[in-house]
Amino acid sequence: MKLNTASETINFAVKLENDSAKFYEDAAQKYVKTRKAFLSFAEENKRNRTLVERTYYEVISDALEAGFSFEGLNADDYPIETGLTSDTSYSDVLRRAIGIEDRIQRFYLDAAEKSKSLMADVPRAFERVAKRRNERKLKLRSLLKEDCDYG
Amino acid sequence: MTILEDPIKEVLELKNYINGEWIESESDQISDVVNPATGKTIAKVPMSTKEEVNAAVEAAKEAFPDWRRTTPLARVRCLFRLKELLEENFEGLSRVQTVEHGKTIDESRGETRRGIEMVEVATGIPSLMMGYNLEDIATGIDEYVIYQPLGVCCNIAPFNFPFMVPLWFAPFAVATGNTVVIKPSPRDPISQVKLAELVDEAGFPPGVWNVVNGHVDAVTTLLEHPDIKTVTFVGTTKIGRDVVYKKCGETGKRAIAQCSAKNYMVIMPDCNVRRTIPALMTSFFGNAGQRCLSGANLVIVGDNKFYNEFLDAVVNTTSRIRVGYGLDEATQMGPMQSIDGKERVLGYVEKGIKEGGKLRLDGRKLDVIGDYPHTYFLNPIIFENVTPDMTIAKEEIFGPVMSVMRAKDLNEAIEMANGSDLGNAHAIFTSSGKDAREFQYRVQSGNVGINIGIVAPMAFFPFGGMKGSFFGVLHGQGRDAIRFFTESKVVIQRWF
């Protein structure tokens, strides 16, 4: 699905935040040893969502190129797999989480690049969330390494 | 494709808001308010009687003495509460604009935000309204100026920004101690009714803010009313100059008449093409071209190679614009607000063809997303080979039409723009500071864009055009609005 308008793009960002939050909440139920970390990710997703939505609603203006800023973005380029089954191993969850973070980070960076100088503060908010996602990815990688080394 | 929920579930019967009460009109003239995307009637609006318009003015007049004596801080507390309520109702207000006007949801949210910004700026009145003084203008004598409100101020609102335009004026008027009567456009009056509901909730005293629905008769009554002190109007030059401004002159009212536009977007060969094209899409086709800041004439400066490449890119991007229902988040351009407006555009297209314009993109051939009646829709239209003498180059079309012209250099482009009778919002797209300055310096336009397609001044700057685009002295918004809504009184004092 193409994402051309700001409204569509923001909604897609919100969907990514909600879906990935659900993934971490489910993972927290399943794996007690990283429960705290997973729940903190889910909490951070809520803050990301607030940041993105608030920024959009505060800067949106009829004078900005809201309908034309994100031309070329496609939601299908950022699929995330969030379902967990009983046989999903801990290391698989971590690998999947890294994949999710990677895709979401890429979405935010692509959206920021597309809309730079057209959507005022929105690209900056996207970059901020992308940075948080990158930090999260590093943390997940270190958890995975720990699991491989000592698991 | 997500279609947002329609905010209006059943046909609304609109009332007038007079003296803090919702009053049903006794008029037997009722108009339909139609959602232009679906063609369905969403409200019934009365064409209020002369007595009802007079009652609104009377209520505002009665409320004025007490409101004027209310401290500026207490007045702005009402505005702070209104601002909070506007934020809480942001999405609902935006969706109402989309269903009654047709604009896209992004455009409506943008309109809501701009409206709120006016309220925010007006809350600065305790500082903005301060006068000034000087001691010892002669020995033992001091002089100072104070700003006092005028009385009842009215706003005659246009259809193209049904929520925002009255907010260009009303928050400044009431913050400075005046009272207001707003007459919304009968085509899309719901936004002002919704706004008045929030005004009521915010606790403004009865009579400070009034809304009276109607059309020409209501306007005539307001213009002739001796108790109306100021008139703010946004609409065509014909009405603004020949009716509103003229009548205000005859009756001694202050006036701001923001009128028609024919904006030139000048493209220099050194512009950043990638950034420029989205700006042009917003400028020419945003709000379906129904705004006084819209681009109308695209003047491309440069050789054949640049001209062809640039225009091809513009046509290509324009042809992909998704036209549909504004509540569909995928929509980039909504329908025209009225059938009259659409027919007016079609008439200009015929004229354009007849006078030698080459139709490069024929938006009469409809391609609309979704299953909606095509009654109000148009797709974007691009004319090439347009010359300054053609009707489509001179007159305001007020629709999604781009007329492409050529100029050999910046000088010729500026002369073309300055040849227009109108001067609202011309813009240049360039990477050259020198050319940008030259353009800014010479172009006859109240708002000038440099790499900006919609030159909309923020709430703290004045907004008004030049030449046939504006009639009045002070502009709306910002410091101009404070001066417009107040009388300066000079006091010279000496104590024996």
Side-chain angles (χ1 to χ4, degrees):
Chain A
M1 187 186 85
K2 282 184 179 173
L3 299 172
N4 279 349
T5 68
S7 186
E8 274 188 308
T9 307
I10 297 296
N11 254 355
F12 182 64
V14 167
K15 185 178 182 309
L16 289 176
E17 294 297 342
N18 288 345
D19 290 354
S20 56
K22 175 78 171 50
F23 169 81
Y24 285 116
E25 280 160 3
D26 290 348
Q29 300 262 332
K30 209 164 150 55
Y31 299 103
V32 180
K33 63 177 172 179
T34 41
R35 188 162 191 268
K36 207 172 152 192
F38 286 155
L39 286 179
S40 76
F41 293 160
E43 272 306 304
E44 192 180 54
N45 281 15
K46 286 179 195 159
R47 290 199 295 277
N48 292 343
R49 178 188 162 152
T50 303
L51 172 69
V52 165
E53 284 191 309
R54 188 179 58 212
T55 307
Y56 164 70
Y57 277 104
E58 284 185 353
V59 303
I60 182 74
S61 153
D62 63 298
L64 291 176
E65 292 80 5
F68 303 93
S69 297
F70 299 101
E71 191 134 284
L73 272 187
N74 194 322
D76 300 336
D77 294 338
Y78 312 97
I80 57 170
E81 174 55 58
T82 56
L84 290 177
T85 57
S86 55
D87 58 351
T88 313
S89 70
Y90 177 64
S91 57
D92 281 347
V93 167
L94 292 175
R95 282 193 193 92
R96 194 176 293 174
I98 291 167
I100 287 171
E101 294 308 324
D102 197 52
R103 289 222 165 91
I104 295 180
Q105 184 195 13
R106 195 150 49 80
F107 161 73
Y108 278 117
L109 289 175
D110 290 348
E113 181 55 34
K114 292 270 176 205
S115 58
K116 232 170 229 173
S117 86
L118 296 175
M119 277 301 292
D121 299 347
V122 173
R124 206 163 56 182
F126 282 175
E127 281 171 347
R128 198 166 153 197
V129 180
K131 194 175 164 211
R132 286 180 187 168
R133 294 288 182 180
N134 192 49
E135 285 161 6
R136 199 186 283 192
K137 213 161 58 178
L138 296 175
K139 178 148 191 187
L140 286 162
R141 280 197 185 124
S142 98
L143 287 172
L144 183 63
K145 187 169 183 301
E146 251 173 55
D147 185 56
C148 293
D149 290 348
Y150 304 107
Chain B
M1 183 166 101
T2 309
I3 312 278
L4 302 171
E5 192 181 336
D6 193 320
I8 297 174
K9 307 289 181 208
E10 56 189 37
V11 178
L12 305 172
E13 307 266 351
L14 301 182
K15 295 177 181 173
N16 294 325
Y17 182 65
I18 299 173
N19 205 25
E21 289 181 18
W22 290 101
I23 298 173
E24 202 169 318
S25 172
E26 290 182 357
S27 172
D28 53 7
Q29 291 178 54
I30 308 289
S31 277
D32 286 351
V33 180
V34 176
N35 177 336
T38 63
K40 287 181 184 155
T41 297
I42 53 174
K44 301 272 185 188
V45 59
M47 300 300 105
S48 303
T49 63
K50 187 172 183 177
E51 290 70 28
E52 288 161 348
V53 177
N54 285 338
V57 178
E58 186 62 26
K61 187 185 173 192
E62 288 282 313
F64 174 64
D66 277 355
W67 182 244
R68 184 225 153 138
R69 286 175 200 282
T70 303
T71 66
L73 268 177
R75 292 198 300 256
V76 300
R77 281 183 192 124
C78 289
L79 286 170
F80 278 118
R81 289 196 291 273
L82 177 61
K83 139 86 179 162
E84 286 306 309
L85 289 164
L86 290 169
E87 295 287 0
E88 283 169 27
N89 291 277
F90 190 103
E91 185 62 12
L93 291 165
S94 303
R95 290 187 193 184
V96 166
Q97 291 156 47
T98 290
V99 297
E100 71 172 342
H101 176 276
K103 60 183 69 187
T104 70
I105 190 64
D106 275 323
E107 289 166 346
S108 293
R109 289 173 185 152
E111 180 174 351
T112 306
R113 176 53 60 202
R114 280 204 175 256
I116 293 173
E117 285 167 359
M118 303 297 157
V119 177
E120 288 172 325
V121 172
T123 60
I125 284 299
S127 302
L128 294 169
M129 201 179 163
M130 280 180 183
Y132 51 91
N133 59 60
L134 188 66
E135 278 186 333
D136 292 326
I137 54 142
T139 304
I141 302 178
D142 306 328
E143 183 167 341
Y144 53 94
V145 63
I146 50 179
Y147 293 109
Q148 297 187 325
L150 303 165
V152 183
C153 304
C154 89
N155 173 245
I156 300 162
F159 76 88
N160 61 338
F161 285 90
F163 175 78
M164 175 181 73
V165 167
L167 288 172
W168 284 353
F169 309 107
F172 297 102
V174 297
T176 47
N178 301 282
T179 55
V180 297
V181 176
I182 295 167
K183 194 215 71 67
S185 166
R187 291 187 192 175
D188 45 14
I190 308 171
S191 291
Q192 285 309 306
V193 169
K194 296 288 172 195
L195 174 61
E197 287 172 2
L198 300 181
V199 165
D200 190 74
E201 201 178 331
F204 282 85
V208 170
W209 191 296
N210 305 274
V211 177
V212 64
N213 290 294
H215 198 25
V216 178
D217 290 347
V219 172
T220 305
T221 305
L222 289 167
L223 290 177
E224 288 177 348
H225 203 295
D227 291 326
I228 295 281
K229 301 299 178 194
T230 75
V231 176
T232 49
F233 165 84
V234 176
T236 64
T237 296
K238 188 171 164 44
I239 303 296
R241 179 191 57 206
D242 300 343
V243 180
V244 174
Y245 197 58
K246 193 174 166 194
K247 198 76 192 167
C248 286
E250 285 169 13
T251 55
K253 300 178 192 344
R254 288 189 185 185
I256 289 176
Q258 296 184 201
C259 299
S260 305
K262 193 73 188 175
N263 302 317
Y264 281 68
M265 303 284 124
V266 174
I267 307 298
M268 299 302 289
D270 61 359
C271 75
N272 179 330
V273 174
R274 194 166 70 89
R275 300 290 193 208
T276 298
I277 286 177
L280 295 179
M281 295 301 107
T282 302
S283 179
F284 283 87
F285 307 115
N287 223 36
Q290 301 164 106
R291 61 181 163 196
C292 63
L293 296 172
S294 285
N297 293 337
L298 182 76
V299 182
I300 303 176
V301 177
D303 58 21
N304 287 342
K305 184 172 179 292
F306 175 72
Y307 173 83
N308 289 327
E309 284 175 4
F310 187 82
L311 187 57
D312 284 349
V314 168
V315 172
N316 183 30
T317 308
T318 308
S319 66
R320 294 199 311 268
I321 287 178
R322 288 179 289 182
V323 177
Y325 187 12
L327 284 184
D328 176 348
E329 288 188 304
T331 293
Q332 292 172 303
M333 190 179 107
M336 295 293 291
Q337 202 281 329
S338 69
I339 295 171
D340 286 354
K342 177 177 171 176
E343 282 178 355
R344 182 184 152 89
V345 173
L346 294 175
Y348 276 110
V349 173
E350 290 301 324
K351 270 187 197 162
I353 294 168
K354 207 169 161 186
E355 292 178 11
K358 178 182 164 194
L359 206 47
R360 183 76 188 262
L361 199 63
D362 187 355
R364 296 174 301 178
K365 292 171 188 156
L366 295 178
D367 178 13
V368 177
I369 305 171
D371 185 20
Y372 301 105
H374 287 183
T375 328
Y376 293 76
F377 282 98
L378 277 173
N379 279 73
I381 294 161
I382 298 180
F383 268 108
E384 209 183 344
N385 296 347
V386 178
T387 52
D389 56 314
M390 289 184 190
T391 309
I392 56 168
K394 290 192 290 193
E395 295 182 9
E396 185 179 49
I397 298 174
F398 224 59
V401 182
M402 174 189 282
S403 297
V404 182
M405 306 159 91
R406 291 191 71 169
K408 65 176 186 298
D409 54 23
L410 177 61
N411 183 54
E412 189 183 20
I414 293 173
E415 282 178 5
M416 284 162 86
N418 287 349
S420 173
D421 293 336
L422 305 170
N424 204 46
H426 300 324
I428 185 171
F429 290 82
T430 180
S431 299
S432 160
K434 180 175 177 289
D435 284 350
R437 187 183 185 279
E438 179 74 3
F439 184 81
Q440 169 199 309
Y441 190 82
R442 287 174 54 197
V443 81
Q444 293 161 4
S445 172
N447 309 288
V448 177
I450 296 170
N451 298 316
I452 295 286
I454 292 292
V455 196
M458 295 294 285
F460 28 90
F461 286 100
F463 186 165
M466 284 183 179
K467 304 201 282 191
S469 293
F470 180 80
F471 296 90
V473 177
L474 292 159
H475 291 177
Q477 303 187 173
R479 290 179 208 158
D480 271 30
I482 313 300
R483 291 290 291 111
F484 180 79
F485 288 115
T486 57
E487 188 68 87
S488 60
K489 183 185 275 182
V490 168
V491 180
I492 302 173
Q493 73 174 8
R494 173 171 63 184
W495 294 95
F496 297 114

